[in-house]
Amino acid sequence: MTSSDLSLTALNIDADFIKQAKGMGLETLGDIMDIKLPDLRKKKGFNYIWYSALLEILERLGLLEEFERRQL
């Protein structure tokens, strides 16, 4: 299993965060890394509090810079 196939439930993160992510169709780390912010913002359930938590999680995992590069 590659890191992009890694289920969010396998990470040590808040269950409410995971529930909200799943509600937006984000099940794996790859789903999050591949989505562009304009598309993410259109999803029902998106809010900037959740997005802030996402950025903190990505920073903790050492993936924030890669995520930001993919947004360009």
Side-chain angles (χ1 to χ4, degrees):
M1 175 182 291
T2 64
S3 64
S4 64
D5 295 332
L6 189 61
S7 171
L8 296 179
T9 57
L11 301 173
N12 186 23
I13 55 179
D14 183 69
D16 289 334
F17 176 90
I18 294 170
K19 182 178 178 183
Q20 192 168 349
K22 285 185 175 187
M24 292 186 279
L26 305 170
E27 301 266 344
T28 68
L29 194 52
D31 293 340
I32 287 175
M33 296 300 289
D34 292 340
I35 196 163
K36 298 288 187 183
L37 183 56
D39 296 328
L40 184 58
R41 289 178 49 209
K42 293 176 189 174
K43 296 207 175 269
K44 184 177 181 179
F46 174 85
N47 63 53
Y48 283 99
I49 294 171
W50 179 88
Y51 186 69
S52 175
L54 169 65
L55 297 178
E56 289 176 14
I57 290 165
L58 292 174
E59 183 173 28
R60 189 181 74 216
L61 296 173
L63 295 172
L64 183 57
E65 287 184 25
E66 180 181 348
F67 179 76
E68 290 172 341
R69 268 195 309 275
R70 290 182 180 203
Q71 295 302 312
L72 301 176

